[in-house]
Amino acid sequence: MGATGPVHEALAALPLVDHHCHGVVTADLDRDGFESLLTEGEPWPGISPFDTPAGVAVRRHCAPLLDLPRHAAADAYLARRAELGVREVNRRFLAAAGTEVFCVDTGYTPHPITTPGELAETADGTAYEVVRLESVAEAVAAEGIEPDAYATAFRTAAEEAVRRSGAVAVKSVAAYRTGFDLDPARPADALVTEAARLWMAEGGRLADPVLIRHLLWTAVDLGLPLQIHTGFGDNDIRLHRVDPTHLTDWLHLSKGTIPVLLLHCWPYQRQAAYLAAVFEQVYLDVGLTLHHVGPARSRAILAEALEITPFRKLLYSSDAYGLAEFYRLGALAFRQGLGDLLQDRVDADELSLPDALRIAAWTAGDNARRLYGLPATEPAPSPAPPAAPAPAPESRQPRD
Amino acid sequence: MGATGPVHEALAALPLVDHHCHGVVTADLDRDGFESLLTEGEPWPGISPFDTPAGVAVRRHCAPLLDLPRHAAADAYLARRAELGVREVNRRFLAAAGTEVFCVDTGYTPHPITTPGELAETADGTAYEVVRLESVAEAVAAEGIEPDAYATAFRTAAEEAVRRSGAVAVKSVAAYRTGFDLDPARPADALVTEAARLWMAEGGRLADPVLIRHLLWTAVDLGLPLQIHTGFGDNDIRLHRVDPTHLTDWLHLSKGTIPVLLLHCWPYQRQAAYLAAVFEQVYLDVGLTLHHVGPARSRAILAEALEITPFRKLLYSSDAYGLAEFYRLGALAFRQGLGDLLQDRVDADELSLPDALRIAAWTAGDNARRLYGLPATEPAPSPAPPAAPAPAPESRQPRD
Amino acid sequence: MGATGPVHEALAALPLVDHHCHGVVTADLDRDGFESLLTEGEPWPGISPFDTPAGVAVRRHCAPLLDLPRHAAADAYLARRAELGVREVNRRFLAAAGTEVFCVDTGYTPHPITTPGELAETADGTAYEVVRLESVAEAVAAEGIEPDAYATAFRTAAEEAVRRSGAVAVKSVAAYRTGFDLDPARPADALVTEAARLWMAEGGRLADPVLIRHLLWTAVDLGLPLQIHTGFGDNDIRLHRVDPTHLTDWLHLSKGTIPVLLLHCWPYQRQAAYLAAVFEQVYLDVGLTLHHVGPARSRAILAEALEITPFRKLLYSSDAYGLAEFYRLGALAFRQGLGDLLQDRVDADELSLPDALRIAAWTAGDNARRLYGLPATEPAPSPAPPAAPAPAPESRQPRD
C-alpha cells in the first residue's frame, strides 16, 4: 500500500472512464442520511456505518479534501461537510476523482440526485447515459398495456429511451430480481404474453423469470453493450444466485451479438475473469467493491480479477451512488491498487514498464472507449499535456 | 508474519472472549488418539496428520510451551506431552491462550472432555454454555414422545436446557444435517408432526429438512443469539450446501428477532462478510480455520473476512475441540493475523492507530461481550493493567 | 516474487513429476495457430492472446530461451520461434522444464502432437500414459455395439487400453460433459443399457448423466488412480457445476477403493483442499492455472491450495497442451511460487528448513511417485548430483 513509482504516476495522470456510475445527491445530508448512503446494508442500531472499511477510507482519504486532518472523526467530518454544503463537497470529490467520462445509469433514483449533465458539469467531464431496462419495462407496464402488446411496447420504449438519451449501453439488474439460474433460451411470444398478463395483474416490480430472460434477449435485439449487475449489492441479492457463471448457457446462445459487461463481480471476480477469458464478448469490472473495501484491499481484489483476464477486458467503474465520496474513493482505490500491482511486477521484472503503462491506459479508459465507441479523449481547452481536461487528480490531494 | 508493533502489543495484552469452543480431552492420548484429533479428516494410512499446516503449527508454536525446541519432531512432541500429563498440558496451553471468557458448546462429546467449569478453572477464566439444539431435539426423540407433542416438547426442553445452564446462546449444526438450501418459512404444525413421526419411526440423528427448519424457528422463539456452523468441517459436510448465503431468505423472514452468528465460514468468509454487511442481525467469525491454517495464513483469511465486514461484527472464536493446543493456536493465529493486518494499515497510514486499537479490542472481546450481554471484564485480583486476569499470553512464549 | 533462498535452490535441482500433461504440437505454428493455443478462450477479434497474463509470462520467461531479450515483442517472439523450428523450440522448453516423469493424457488430440514416447525423448525423461475414459467409451460406441453390451465392452476396452499402454492412471472429463451434480450411486444395468441405447441412437460425444456416472464407477472397477478435471477449462465448462465438492457423495460411496486426483481446481482450490483434508483418497494439483496466471500469481494460488491440504496430497502438473512453452511456464511458476511460499515461512520461522525441503520434494515428485507406484528416481547416466538426468532447469535460464 502507498508504494509509488512510474506506474502510479502514469495512473495519476490518466483521466478515467467510469463506465458505470450513478448521480450524487443534490441536497445536504444529515447524519442518518449520510450513513445510510455509506453502506449497502440495513441500519445497524448501535453500530455506525463509519465503523466499516468504507467509513475508515472516507475518514482517511476524503477528510483532507474537506480541509480536515487525515482520519478525522465522523462528527467533525459531517460537520465540515455540512458547512461546505453539498455543491462544494460534490465539486471537490468529483474533481479529485480525475474522471473524464461518466456512463451513468439513470434508472435508479430513490433520492434526488444529479442528472448526467449536472454530474458532468460538476466534474468538468462528459456524461453518457446507460438505460436500465427493468425501469423501462416497469414504466411500460405502469401505462396499462395489453399483455400481448408488452414485448413490442417494451422493445419500442427501450429503443426510444436509447435514442432520446443517446445511451451508450443498456443495463440489467436481473441479479436483484431472479438471479441467473434461468432458462437461457429466448422465450416464445406466448410465454411472454402469459407472464406479462400475470405480472400486470399482480403488479410490483419486474421479477418474473420469463420476463427477465425476455429482457436479456431484448437487450440482444437492441444491439448495444449490456451491463449486468453481478455479485455484491444490498440484501435484495441472493449472492449464490448471482455468480456470473450461471450465465454461461445464455452467453453461448447469445454469442456473436452484443458485448456483455459484468459489473462489480465480487466475490466472484475469478469466476467473472474465467468468463472474460473464454468468451469473446465478455468484459468485467470490480466497481462498487473498490470503494467499499478501500485502498487497503483493492490491490488484492484486482489481483484476483486479473489472474486470467485478458488485459483489454478489464474496465474501470466506480458504481458510485449518492455520495460524491465514492467517486473519490473508487478512483483512488483503483489507481492505488492497480498501480501497486503493476509496479510490483515491473520491479520484480515480471512485466516490462511499457507493458505496465499500456495495461494501465487500457483499463483506466481505453478499453471502455473502444467498447462503447467513445472519442479517444476530450479535446484539451488549451495547450496542455494529454490528461489536461481532467486535472491530474493525485496532484490535488493533500498528501499530509 | 511475525511483524510486531503497537497493535500486536495491544492484542497480546487483550484477554480474548472465545465465543464458540468445546472442551478438551481429560485423558492422556496415544499417537493415534492425538493425530485423530489433529485433523478434521479421516485417517490417511501412510500420511501423518503432523504433515499438515496444523501439524507444522503445533510443532512450531506449541512445542516451546512443553519446553521443547521450536519445530520439535512429532515423536519428541508426543513423548514430552505424555511425560507432562494431560492436566499440565491443558493448563499450559489454556494459560497461553490468554482467553478470559469461553462460550462452550456442550452438545458434542464423543470423547471424555472437560466441562465448561473445568475448562474455566484450568484457564483461570469464566465459562458460559451454548446449547446445541440438535442434541436437545435428539434427546427429546430418544425419550419416545408422541409425534404431535414433539414441537412443544423440543421447545420446552430447549428452554429448560438454557435455563438450567444459564446458556448465553444456542447453536445449530444444520450444516451437517441438511445444508442451508431449505424452505425458509416456519413449517406448519401438521408438517412438523408428520416429519417427527417419520423421524422417530426411522430413528437416527436429526436430519429431516422440515425438522431442521423447525429447529431454526424454535431458536427464534427462544430469543437467544443463534450460532450456526457454516463452511469447513469434517466430511459429513457438503461444502457447497453450507455457503451461508443460502440462508438469505431465512434471514429476511427472521429479521428483527435474534442475532445470528455465522461460525467458521471458510472458504465462504467473503460470503459471510456480505451477509454481515447487509443484515443487521448477522455476525461472523473465522474460528476453526485459524488453527488449521496456522499463523502463516490467518492474516490472509482475516483480510478477506474483513474486506467489507463492519468492525463491530467480527468475533473471535477458536472452535477448539479436544486438543488444548488448538486454544493456543487459535488465539495466536488470531492475534498474529489481526495484528499484522491492522499494523500494516497503520504503517501505511490507511488506518489511525487509535482506530486500529479500537478494532482490536472490539474483535478480541467487546463485540462478543456486547452481543451476549457479558460483563465488561473480569475483576482483576490485584492492582494490575486491565488485562491482568489472564496473563498477557505472548509474554509467556519463548521467542527463540 | 523472484526471491531466492535454499528452498528455491532445492526446487531448482529437483526433477519434477508432471502427473498430468499432454503432447506438444509437432508442426510449426503461424501466428493464429500459436495464439489459439495460448488461450483457453475463443478468438477475441482485435485482442491478442499475448495481452494476457499467460502472454506476458511467455514473453518474459520463454523469450530468453529462444535467445531473445526478456519481454520481447510478440512479433519478434513468433519470428524467432519459426526460425528455430518446432523441434528445437520443443527441445529447449522441455529441457528447461526440468521434468523427469510425464504422465500423459493421450485422449485429447485435436492437433498433431507428440506421443508420450516422443515427449519423453525430447525431454530426456520418462513417460507414462493416462487413459481418458470418455475417449474409450466413445470409441466403443463408434464401433456400433449393442446397448446391452455397452457396459461390458466399455470396461473391457478400458482394461485393454490400460494394459496395452501400461497406463498409470485413468482420467475423466465429466466436468466438460455433465458437471458433478450427479446421482452418486452406481447405476443399475438396465439404466445403463437404456442410456447407451439413447446415446448411440443420437450419436455425439458422451454426455449422458447416467453414462458419466457409470464411467466413474467403471474407473473404480479398474482400480487405477482416477484423475478428474475440475474447475478452469474452456467455455464448454459450466464453472459452478465443476466445483469438486459436488463430488462429496460419490467420494463417500467410493471410499476405500481408488485414489482420486482433482486436477486444476482453480478457482475452487480451497474447496479441493477441503476434500483432500477430509477424504483419505483425495489428492489435488493446481495445474493449467499456473501457466495461465504465471509466476506473478502462482504463489497466491498455491497458498490457498495449501491452507489446509496435507503436504503429502499436493501434486505437480503442468497440464501443458500444444505449446512447449507451457511446460516451461508451469514448472517455473510452480518452483517460483512454492519456493517463495516456503522460503518466506522459513524466514519467518513458521517452518523449519528441513520441513520446507521435505514439502518441496514431496510436492515436486515424491507424492506422485508414491501414488502411481513410480520408481523412486531415474538412474543417473554418470556421476552427478541427484537431479542429473534432467539438468537443473533454473541454471539454464538467463537471469538478465
Side-chain angles (χ1 to χ4, degrees):
Chain A
M1 286 177 280
T4 55
V7 183
H8 295 86
E9 285 162 29
L11 276 162
L14 277 168
L16 299 177
V17 176
D18 187 342
H19 91 109
H20 181 79
C21 56
H22 304 264
V24 294
V25 290
T26 50
D28 287 312
L29 293 165
D30 62 11
R31 183 164 189 135
D32 281 357
F34 185 88
E35 290 193 338
S36 77
L37 286 167
L38 187 53
T39 165
E40 288 286 311
E42 305 169 332
W44 309 302
I47 300 181
S48 166
F50 273 101
D51 291 327
T52 59
V56 161
V58 163
R59 289 172 43 228
R60 164 61 185 90
H61 293 289
C62 296
L65 288 165
L66 305 188
D67 316 314
L68 296 170
R70 291 168 289 114
H71 313 296
D75 286 341
Y77 186 87
L78 292 169
R80 176 62 180 161
R81 200 182 197 278
E83 188 179 53
L84 286 170
V86 70
R87 287 183 63 90
E88 175 62 10
V89 165
N90 288 349
R91 194 194 62 74
R92 292 189 183 191
F93 290 130
L94 278 160
T99 300
E100 183 180 68
V101 178
F102 301 84
C103 302
V104 187
D105 172 0
T106 51
Y108 181 69
T109 53
H111 306 81
I113 54 171
T114 52
T115 63
E118 291 164 352
L119 189 73
E121 197 188 329
T122 307
D124 195 15
T126 304
Y128 299 93
E129 282 200 38
V130 175
V131 169
R132 186 187 284 228
L133 292 177
E134 284 81 3
S135 302
V136 172
E138 286 159 2
V140 164
E143 285 165 15
I145 202 144
E146 289 300 311
D148 62 0
Y150 167 76
T152 303
F154 169 42
R155 177 168 168 172
T156 304
E159 285 170 342
E160 174 60 19
V162 165
R163 199 190 51 71
R164 198 174 49 231
S165 65
V168 294
V170 294
K171 180 193 179 186
S172 169
V173 290
Y176 279 103
R177 307 304 175 83
T178 56
F180 303 139
D181 201 6
L182 299 168
D183 180 342
R186 188 190 283 264
D189 291 352
L191 207 58
V192 173
T193 297
E194 176 57 15
R197 195 186 60 73
L198 281 169
W199 175 36
M200 291 178 202
E202 285 177 13
R205 63 182 197 168
L206 179 66
D208 177 89
V210 168
L211 297 181
I212 290 291
R213 69 184 162 112
H214 173 256
L215 181 149
L216 296 177
W217 283 103
T218 301
V220 169
D221 296 336
L222 293 169
L224 286 180
L226 171 62
Q227 302 182 344
I228 303 186
H229 180 118
T230 72
F232 185 37
D234 67 35
N235 73 19
D236 219 10
I237 294 273
R238 272 64 179 161
L239 200 60
H240 57 95
R241 286 193 217 147
V242 300
D243 172 346
T245 63
H246 288 278
L247 290 164
T248 305
D249 286 300
W250 181 77
L251 290 169
H252 273 290
L253 292 178
S254 64
K255 214 184 280 189
T257 63
I258 53 170
V260 173
L261 290 301
L262 305 174
L263 304 176
H264 321 330
C265 301
W266 183 95
Y268 302 113
Q269 56 272 12
R270 283 168 162 164
Q271 281 82 347
Y274 160 73
L275 294 174
V278 299
F279 282 100
E280 185 271 330
Q281 76 265 40
V282 174
Y283 296 75
L284 70 127
D285 72 43
V286 286
L288 182 61
T289 306
L290 294 186
H291 62 256
H292 278 287
V293 305
R297 283 294 289 173
S298 60
R299 178 219 177 104
I301 289 164
L302 283 161
E304 292 181 16
L306 280 170
E307 270 168 3
I308 62 165
T309 298
F311 297 123
R312 305 235 48 173
K313 291 188 151 217
L314 183 76
L315 279 71
Y316 170 70
S317 86
S318 66
D319 198 36
Y321 173 83
L323 301 184
E325 279 86 346
F326 288 159
Y327 277 104
R328 156 68 171 161
L329 284 182
L332 176 75
F334 175 76
R335 285 191 175 98
Q336 187 72 44
L338 188 65
D340 290 353
L341 178 76
L342 296 176
Q343 187 65 53
D344 275 5
R345 292 189 188 175
V346 171
D347 294 345
D349 197 24
E350 286 292 327
L351 189 67
S352 73
L353 181 59
D355 284 336
L357 297 177
R358 192 158 41 233
I359 294 168
W362 286 340
T363 52
D366 291 350
N367 289 343
R369 285 189 191 94
R370 173 178 172 276
L371 187 67
Y372 296 111
L374 307 178
T377 193
E378 298 298 301
S382 64
E394 295 304 315
S395 65
R396 284 207 184 167
Q397 292 174 49
R399 267 284 166 197
D400 43 17
Chain B
M1 286 177 279
T4 55
V7 183
H8 295 86
E9 285 163 28
L11 276 161
L14 277 168
L16 298 177
V17 176
D18 187 342
H19 90 108
H20 181 79
C21 56
H22 304 263
V24 293
V25 290
T26 50
D28 288 313
L29 293 165
D30 61 11
R31 183 165 189 134
D32 281 355
F34 185 88
E35 289 193 338
S36 76
L37 285 167
L38 187 53
T39 165
E40 289 286 312
E42 303 169 333
W44 309 301
I47 300 182
S48 166
F50 273 101
D51 291 326
T52 59
V56 161
V58 163
R59 289 172 43 227
R60 163 61 185 90
H61 293 288
C62 296
L65 288 165
L66 304 188
D67 316 313
L68 295 170
R70 290 167 289 115
H71 314 295
D75 286 341
Y77 186 85
L78 292 168
R80 176 62 180 158
R81 199 182 197 278
E83 187 178 54
L84 286 170
V86 69
R87 287 181 63 89
E88 175 63 9
V89 166
N90 287 348
R91 196 195 61 73
R92 291 190 184 193
F93 290 130
L94 278 160
T99 300
E100 184 180 66
V101 179
F102 300 83
C103 300
V104 187
D105 172 0
T106 51
Y108 180 68
T109 54
H111 306 81
I113 55 172
T114 52
T115 64
E118 291 164 351
L119 189 73
E121 197 188 328
T122 307
D124 194 16
T126 306
Y128 299 93
E129 282 201 37
V130 174
V131 169
R132 186 188 282 226
L133 292 178
E134 284 80 3
S135 303
V136 173
E138 286 158 2
V140 164
E143 285 165 17
I145 202 144
E146 289 300 310
D148 63 357
Y150 167 76
T152 302
F154 170 42
R155 177 169 168 171
T156 304
E159 285 170 342
E160 175 58 19
V162 165
R163 201 190 50 70
R164 199 174 50 233
S165 64
V168 293
V170 294
K171 180 193 178 187
S172 169
V173 290
Y176 280 101
R177 307 304 176 84
T178 55
F180 303 139
D181 201 6
L182 299 167
D183 180 341
R186 188 189 283 264
D189 290 351
L191 206 59
V192 173
T193 297
E194 175 58 15
R197 194 186 60 74
L198 282 167
W199 175 37
M200 292 178 203
E202 287 176 11
R205 62 183 198 169
L206 179 66
D208 176 89
V210 167
L211 296 181
I212 290 291
R213 66 183 162 113
H214 174 257
L215 181 149
L216 295 176
W217 283 103
T218 300
V220 169
D221 296 336
L222 293 169
L224 286 181
L226 171 63
Q227 301 182 344
I228 304 185
H229 179 118
T230 72
F232 185 38
D234 67 35
N235 73 20
D236 218 11
I237 293 273
R238 272 65 180 160
L239 200 60
H240 57 95
R241 286 192 217 146
V242 299
D243 171 347
T245 64
H246 287 278
L247 290 165
T248 306
D249 287 300
W250 181 76
L251 290 169
H252 273 290
L253 292 178
S254 63
K255 214 183 280 189
T257 63
I258 53 170
V260 173
L261 290 299
L262 305 174
L263 304 176
H264 321 329
C265 300
W266 182 95
Y268 303 113
Q269 56 272 14
R270 283 169 161 161
Q271 281 83 346
Y274 160 74
L275 294 174
V278 300
F279 281 98
E280 186 271 330
Q281 76 265 39
V282 175
Y283 297 75
L284 70 128
D285 72 43
V286 286
L288 181 60
T289 305
L290 294 185
H291 62 255
H292 279 286
V293 305
R297 284 294 289 174
S298 60
R299 178 220 176 104
I301 289 164
L302 283 161
E304 291 181 17
L306 280 170
E307 271 169 2
I308 62 165
T309 298
F311 298 122
R312 305 235 48 173
K313 291 188 152 216
L314 184 77
L315 278 70
Y316 170 70
S317 86
S318 66
D319 198 36
Y321 172 83
L323 301 184
E325 280 87 345
F326 289 160
Y327 277 104
R328 156 68 171 161
L329 284 182
L332 176 75
F334 175 76
R335 285 191 176 99
Q336 187 72 43
L338 188 65
D340 290 352
L341 178 77
L342 296 176
Q343 187 64 53
D344 275 4
R345 292 190 188 175
V346 171
D347 294 344
D349 197 24
E350 285 292 326
L351 189 67
S352 74
L353 181 58
D355 285 335
L357 297 176
R358 192 158 41 231
I359 294 168
W362 286 341
T363 52
D366 290 350
N367 290 342
R369 286 188 190 93
R370 173 178 173 276
L371 188 67
Y372 295 110
L374 308 178
T377 194
E378 298 298 301
S382 64
E394 295 304 314
S395 63
R396 284 208 183 165
Q397 292 175 49
R399 267 285 167 197
D400 44 16
Chain C
M1 287 178 279
T4 54
V7 183
H8 296 87
E9 284 160 30
L11 276 161
L14 277 168
L16 299 177
V17 176
D18 187 342
H19 91 109
H20 181 79
C21 56
H22 304 263
V24 293
V25 291
T26 50
D28 287 313
L29 292 165
D30 62 9
R31 181 163 191 137
D32 280 356
F34 186 88
E35 289 193 339
S36 77
L37 286 166
L38 188 52
T39 165
E40 289 285 311
E42 305 169 332
W44 309 302
I47 300 181
S48 166
F50 273 101
D51 291 326
T52 59
V56 161
V58 164
R59 289 172 43 226
R60 164 63 185 88
H61 293 289
C62 296
L65 288 165
L66 305 188
D67 317 313
L68 296 171
R70 289 167 290 113
H71 314 296
D75 287 340
Y77 186 85
L78 292 169
R80 176 63 180 159
R81 201 182 196 279
E83 188 179 54
L84 287 170
V86 70
R87 287 181 64 89
E88 174 62 11
V89 166
N90 288 349
R91 196 194 60 74
R92 291 190 184 192
F93 290 129
L94 279 160
T99 299
E100 184 180 67
V101 179
F102 300 84
C103 301
V104 187
D105 172 0
T106 50
Y108 180 67
T109 53
H111 306 80
I113 54 172
T114 52
T115 63
E118 291 164 351
L119 190 73
E121 195 187 329
T122 307
D124 194 16
T126 305
Y128 299 93
E129 282 200 40
V130 175
V131 169
R132 186 188 285 227
L133 293 177
E134 284 80 3
S135 302
V136 173
E138 286 158 2
V140 164
E143 286 164 15
I145 201 141
E146 289 301 308
D148 62 359
Y150 167 75
T152 303
F154 169 42
R155 179 169 167 172
T156 304
E159 285 169 343
E160 174 60 19
V162 165
R163 201 190 51 70
R164 197 175 48 232
S165 65
V168 293
V170 294
K171 181 193 179 187
S172 169
V173 290
Y176 280 102
R177 307 304 176 85
T178 56
F180 303 138
D181 201 6
L182 299 168
D183 180 342
R186 188 190 283 264
D189 291 351
L191 206 58
V192 173
T193 297
E194 175 58 15
R197 195 186 60 72
L198 281 168
W199 174 36
M200 291 178 203
E202 286 178 11
R205 62 184 198 168
L206 179 66
D208 176 89
V210 168
L211 296 182
I212 290 292
R213 68 183 163 112
H214 173 257
L215 181 150
L216 296 176
W217 282 104
T218 301
V220 168
D221 296 336
L222 293 169
L224 287 180
L226 171 62
Q227 302 183 344
I228 304 185
H229 179 118
T230 72
F232 185 38
D234 68 33
N235 73 21
D236 218 11
I237 293 273
R238 271 65 180 160
L239 200 60
H240 56 95
R241 286 193 217 146
V242 300
D243 171 347
T245 64
H246 287 278
L247 290 165
T248 306
D249 287 299
W250 182 77
L251 291 169
H252 273 290
L253 292 178
S254 63
K255 215 184 281 188
T257 62
I258 53 169
V260 173
L261 291 300
L262 304 174
L263 304 177
H264 322 328
C265 301
W266 183 95
Y268 302 113
Q269 56 272 14
R270 283 168 162 162
Q271 281 83 348
Y274 160 74
L275 294 174
V278 300
F279 282 98
E280 186 270 331
Q281 76 265 41
V282 175
Y283 297 75
L284 69 129
D285 72 42
V286 285
L288 181 61
T289 306
L290 293 186
H291 61 255
H292 278 288
V293 305
R297 285 293 290 174
S298 60
R299 179 219 176 105
I301 289 164
L302 283 161
E304 291 181 18
L306 281 171
E307 271 168 4
I308 62 166
T309 298
F311 297 124
R312 304 234 50 172
K313 291 188 152 217
L314 184 76
L315 279 71
Y316 170 70
S317 86
S318 66
D319 197 36
Y321 172 83
L323 301 184
E325 280 85 346
F326 289 159
Y327 277 103
R328 156 69 171 159
L329 284 183
L332 176 75
F334 175 75
R335 285 191 175 100
Q336 187 71 43
L338 188 65
D340 291 352
L341 178 77
L342 295 176
Q343 187 63 54
D344 275 4
R345 291 189 189 177
V346 171
D347 294 344
D349 197 24
E350 285 292 327
L351 189 67
S352 74
L353 181 59
D355 284 335
L357 297 177
R358 192 158 43 232
I359 293 168
W362 286 340
T363 52
D366 290 350
N367 289 343
R369 286 188 190 93
R370 174 179 174 276
L371 188 67
Y372 297 110
L374 307 178
T377 193
E378 298 299 301
S382 64
E394 296 302 315
S395 64
R396 286 209 183 164
Q397 291 173 50
R399 266 285 169 199
D400 44 17

